[in-house]
């Protein structure tokens, strides 16, 4: 049924209780008991999670509980009664590869507990049958399947692969009666959903300026305020504006900085495309609306692109690794010796690994007071389609060197038999190539049509830069004294968002942190394609580093396979900063 435009005008309070599969187990209870909510969401899926669930299903295809986030069901066992008593609806993508199976098990749980709830699910994202070489192939669906379930009275909605923001946009669209053409309203909810999706990253978790909340000026609240940050919630209004906040008395911080950090996380350009709408991140404005309250307003939306993203997960082969401990003097020579010894064996073997990589981490200190701080780590990683090649070949070669290599030879752990690794790829299909369906508690199926109004995604013109700062004395210092950063992964690419907190600092950052300077500060990116996007309203730059993560997080291509700390590395790098800004 269609909800009229006279839908409730009071803010819809939507909370989050999970940012990933494995997040804080008690968060669902904390959110249900900590304050008023209308809807509680949970994001359990990531590119890596889909691969993990696919491997679970591969182990036992007949297991009806395989393919979904089982933690969600255990949380509901404790909290379903609370949600029912408080009238809170629950929307989660915990269905993973098997939303129908999870929905059925939620019904069984509710029957066993004697709690009358209506459980619906969304399907249509699974395109694995058309990709026989993939372990899992799933389209990123939008919000209107969730909205259809809620409009028909569902108390709990479980989905498979939908966009993270859809968990918030769906309830808002159902509550306020939004239609696909309400681009500005939908875009506002997308931005709110993106802020909520990673849980406590919006309330001070993983925050670049965390030290400011732990210094002597904040000693009474100090470390305690960040010890157990509360999960975020959004008060969403009929026009799509929202206020990000958290339950009273919970830990953490909600301010313009924490919200900015999450807004920049894993986004790219000024156009943030999704199945329902393309949100213009260059229109987002943030205003502090009181303690632990940040208002999001000014968001503009455009028609979504005519295609849907499809995430493809497949097994890429097997990998193994060993870390050699090099202690004391002659670190470089010790590394060269063991590398030469092992490569002679590996490359001379009949079945040599197809990929061999070495990394030397100089964690050693001169004249160190402990053996550990006198030691460096040499890491060897091998990959190959054959498990024996990365197992027996490597373990035999490494162990045989125990008495025949550099002085002080030992390893952190002996290499094992080799473990499978995954590969993530993305492709795009027409919106109408996917059968998006809302499946209700009584078995009725409501098709969700694709949007009629679409727009091919294009990069907007680069906004004009601010006036540069006048010349003045500068001091060599870490970028992080002035700028915050947050980074993450999108397939094989990394995104690094960098922002500052004053207009004067923005005038300096916009002119200083060019692509060339970014590559100079992070030499690992020097040979890669780096794209810079400018977001003046947020005083922010967003960099996309293409290919730095190889074939995605599951391939473990580099030391930090999800680029989580790439932004912190950037902040630690030194450059000339105007003294007036320090």
């Amino acid at each position: 049924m269609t909800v009229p435009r006279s839908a409730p005008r009071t803010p819809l309070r939507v909370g989050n209780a999970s940012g990933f599969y494995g997040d804080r187990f008690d968060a669902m209870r904390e959110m249900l008991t900590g304050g008023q909510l209308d809807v509680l969401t949970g994001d359990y899926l990531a590119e890596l999670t889909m691969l993990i669930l696919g491997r679970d299903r591969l182990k036992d295809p007949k297991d009806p509980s395989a393919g979904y986030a089982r933690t969600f069901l255990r949380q509901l066992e404790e909290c379903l009664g609370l949600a029912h008593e408080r009238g809170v609806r629950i929307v989660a993508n915990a269905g993973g590869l098997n939303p129908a199976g999870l929905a059925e098990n939620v019904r069984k749980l509710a029957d066993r507990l004697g709690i009358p709830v209506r459980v619906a699910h969304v399907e249509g994202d699974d395109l694995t049958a058309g990709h026989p070489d993939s372990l899992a192939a799933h389209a990123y669906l939008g919000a209107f399947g969730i909205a259809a379930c809620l409009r028909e009275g569902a108390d709990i909605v479980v989905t498979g692969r939908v966009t993270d923001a859809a968990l918030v946009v769906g309830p808002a669209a159902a509550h306020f009666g939004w239609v696909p053409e309400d681009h500005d309203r939908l875009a506002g909810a997308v931005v709110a959903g993106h802020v909520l999706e990673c849980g406590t990253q919006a309330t001070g978790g993983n925050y670049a300026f965390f030290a400011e909340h732990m210094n002597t000026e904040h000693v009474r609240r100090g470390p305690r305020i960040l010890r157990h940050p509360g999960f975020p919630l959004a008060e969403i209004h009929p026009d799509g504006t929202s206020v990000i906040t958290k339950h009273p008395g919970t830990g953490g911080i909600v301010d313009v900085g924490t919200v900015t950090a999450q807004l920049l996380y894993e986004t790219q350009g000024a156009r943030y495309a999704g199945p329902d709408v393309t949100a213009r991140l260059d229109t987002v404005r943030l205003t502090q609306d009181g303690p632990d309250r940040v208002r999001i307003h000014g968001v503009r939306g455009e028609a979504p692109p005519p295609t849907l993203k499809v995430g493809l997960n497949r097994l890429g082969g097997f990998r193994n690794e060993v870390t050699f401990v090099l202690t004391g003097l002659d670190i470089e020579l010790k590394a060269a010796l063991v590398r030469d010894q092992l490569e002679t064996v590996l490359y001379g073997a009949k079945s040599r690994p197809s990929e061999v990589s070495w990394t030397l981490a100089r964690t050693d200190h001169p004249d160190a007071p402990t053996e550990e701080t006198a030691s460096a780590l040499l890491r060897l990683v091998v990959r190959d389609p054959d498990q024996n090649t990365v197992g027996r070949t490597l373990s035999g070669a490494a162990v045989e060197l125990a008495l025949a290599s550099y002085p002080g030879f030992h390893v952190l752990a002996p290499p094992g038999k080799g473990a499978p690794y995954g590969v993530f790829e993305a492709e795009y299909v027409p919106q109408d190539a996917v059968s998006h369906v809302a499946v209700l508690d009584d078995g009725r199926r409501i098709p969700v049509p694709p949007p009629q109004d679409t727009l091919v995604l294009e990069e907007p013109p680069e906004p004009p830069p601010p006036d540069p700062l006048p010349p003045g004395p500068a001091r060599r210092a870490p970028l992080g004294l002035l700028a915050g950063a947050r980074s993450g992964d999108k397939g094989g690419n990394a995104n690094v968002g960098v922002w500052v907190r004053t207009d004067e600092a923005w005038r300096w950052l916009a002119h200083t942190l060019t692509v060339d300077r970014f590559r100079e500060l992070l030499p690992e990116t020097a040979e890669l394609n780096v794209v810079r996007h400018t977001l003046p309203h947020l005083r922010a730059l967003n960099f996309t580093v293409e290919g730095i993560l190889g074939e995605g997080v599951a391939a473990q291509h580099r030391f930090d396979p999800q680029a989580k700390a790439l932004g912190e590395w950037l902040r630690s790098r030194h450059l000339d900063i105007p003294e007036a800004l320090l």
Side-chain angles (χ1 to χ4, degrees):
M1 71 180 178
T2 301
V3 177
R5 285 291 182 170
S6 59
R9 300 196 61 81
T10 54
L12 179 73
R13 290 174 62 89
V14 182
N16 170 279
S18 176
F20 66 99
Y21 189 13
D23 208 346
R24 187 191 307 166
F25 185 87
D26 292 334
M28 185 178 288
R29 176 178 291 277
E30 291 172 9
M31 290 301 288
L32 288 170
T33 59
Q36 180 187 349
L37 282 179
D38 300 303
V39 180
L40 183 59
T41 66
D43 181 7
Y44 292 79
L45 300 184
E47 294 167 1
L48 180 61
T49 314
M50 300 297 279
L51 178 71
I52 293 170
L53 295 176
R55 289 176 57 186
D56 286 347
R57 187 171 62 177
L58 195 63
K59 293 175 184 176
D60 188 357
K62 296 182 180 180
D63 182 358
S65 66
Y68 62 72
R70 303 183 195 199
T71 303
F72 175 73
L73 203 60
R74 296 201 302 271
Q75 288 173 305
L76 277 188
E77 187 160 13
E78 291 187 7
C79 298
L80 188 57
L82 283 171
H84 179 66
E85 290 169 9
R86 288 162 172 75
V88 178
R89 294 165 132 182
I90 295 176
V91 180
N93 61 12
L97 314 184
N98 187 10
L102 177 57
E104 182 58 29
N105 280 321
V106 172
R107 292 186 191 100
K108 291 178 180 178
L109 172 65
D111 289 344
R112 178 164 59 83
L113 297 177
I115 301 170
V117 295
R118 289 163 292 188
V119 184
H121 72 276
V122 176
E123 60 184 41
D125 61 300
D126 192 349
L127 304 182
T128 308
H131 298 78
D133 295 332
S134 295
L135 191 59
H138 290 257
Y140 287 71
L141 300 181
F144 281 95
I146 295 170
C149 294
L150 294 171
R151 285 169 173 164
E152 294 295 328
D155 302 299
I156 298 175
V157 181
V158 295
T159 77
R161 179 77 275 183
V162 297
T163 64
D164 300 336
L167 301 173
V168 172
V169 179
H175 185 73
F176 296 118
W178 296 343
V179 297
E181 293 72 33
D182 287 327
H183 294 145
D184 289 348
R185 295 180 177 91
L186 293 169
V190 163
V191 172
H194 181 65
V195 173
L196 294 192
E197 70 182 58
C198 288
T200 53
Q201 278 197 169
T203 59
N206 299 349
Y207 183 47
F209 296 115
F210 80 100
E212 295 181 0
H213 300 277
M214 298 181 69
N215 61 27
T216 53
E217 295 178 12
H218 297 81
V219 69
R220 291 186 61 192
R221 302 176 73 211
R224 188 174 300 174
I225 195 174
L226 295 177
R227 184 183 301 160
H228 194 78
F231 276 67
L233 63 93
E235 299 171 352
I236 303 176
H237 294 264
D239 61 356
T241 61
S242 62
V243 172
I244 305 299
T245 184
K246 60 189 183 68
H247 284 324
T250 56
I253 315 106
V254 179
D255 63 18
V256 169
T258 65
V259 174
T260 298
Q262 181 54 28
L263 264 182
L264 297 175
Y265 181 65
E266 294 182 351
T267 58
Q268 296 186 38
R271 285 189 164 105
Y272 185 55
D276 305 308
V277 68
T278 294
R280 290 293 298 259
L281 297 184
D282 54 353
T283 65
V284 177
R285 286 173 167 79
L286 304 178
T287 305
Q288 197 72 39
D289 196 47
D292 291 321
R293 293 177 63 83
V294 173
R295 183 170 175 254
I296 299 175
H297 56 106
V299 186
R300 295 292 175 259
E302 299 171 343
T307 57
L308 292 177
K309 180 180 175 181
V310 180
L312 308 176
N313 288 275
R314 60 179 174 83
L315 294 178
F318 295 85
R319 71 182 297 281
N320 205 347
E321 67 176 81
V322 58
T323 301
F324 301 90
V325 182
L326 315 174
T327 304
L329 305 178
D330 303 320
I331 295 295
E332 300 285 345
L333 289 175
K334 289 171 180 173
L337 173 59
V338 72
R339 178 170 177 168
D340 181 64
Q341 288 176 313
L342 263 176
E343 286 186 348
T344 299
V345 176
L346 293 177
Y347 289 125
K350 292 181 180 179
S351 55
R352 64 187 184 188
S354 59
E355 183 181 341
V356 178
S357 64
W358 296 85
T359 306
L360 175 61
R362 293 300 302 265
T363 53
D364 55 304
H365 299 269
D367 194 22
T370 66
E371 182 179 336
E372 185 173 4
T373 56
S375 299
L377 301 176
L378 178 65
R379 181 170 174 252
L380 166 64
V381 177
V382 296
R383 291 184 175 83
D384 197 84
D386 179 65
Q387 187 172 19
N388 288 333
T389 298
V390 302
R392 295 173 185 170
T393 301
L394 175 64
S395 59
V399 170
E400 288 172 4
L401 290 177
L403 303 180
S405 191
Y406 61 85
F409 179 101
H410 65 287
V411 297
L412 291 184
K417 61 181 181 180
Y421 70 87
V423 171
F424 176 86
E425 298 167 333
E427 69 172 32
Y428 294 84
V429 300
Q431 289 248 19
D432 59 8
V434 174
S435 299
H436 189 177
V437 179
V439 184
L440 306 182
D441 188 71
D442 60 8
R444 284 183 294 140
R445 301 174 64 85
I446 301 178
V448 180
Q452 297 302 304
D453 185 15
T454 62
L455 184 66
V456 175
L457 194 65
E458 295 180 353
E459 282 293 329
E462 187 74 3
D467 293 334
L469 282 180
R475 175 158 56 92
R476 198 78 176 169
L479 175 63
L481 293 184
L482 190 66
R486 180 167 287 168
S487 56
D489 63 308
K490 280 291 182 185
N493 300 339
N495 293 108
V496 184
V498 185
W499 81 96
V500 289
R501 297 181 286 183
T502 66
D503 291 338
E504 291 76 15
W506 170 240
R507 292 169 63 188
W508 173 81
L509 183 75
H511 288 274
T512 301
L513 195 57
T514 61
V515 168
D516 287 342
R517 180 62 61 84
F518 182 93
R519 288 195 179 111
E520 177 187 320
L521 295 173
L522 302 185
E524 188 180 348
T525 71
E527 303 301 320
L528 300 174
N529 189 40
V530 178
V531 181
R532 188 182 100 152
H533 308 280
T534 306
L535 301 170
H537 292 317
L538 299 176
R539 303 191 192 99
L541 302 171
N542 217 337
F543 294 87
T544 301
V545 185
E546 298 179 359
I548 192 172
L549 303 180
E551 295 175 299
V553 54
Q556 297 187 341
H557 177 74
R558 66 188 295 271
F559 166 69
D560 175 13
Q562 288 182 280
K564 295 291 190 181
L566 196 61
E568 286 301 295
W569 179 26
L570 179 65
R571 293 182 70 236
S572 74
R573 299 290 283 160
H574 290 222
L575 70 171
D576 293 329
I577 300 176
E579 290 185 354
L581 300 177
L582 294 173

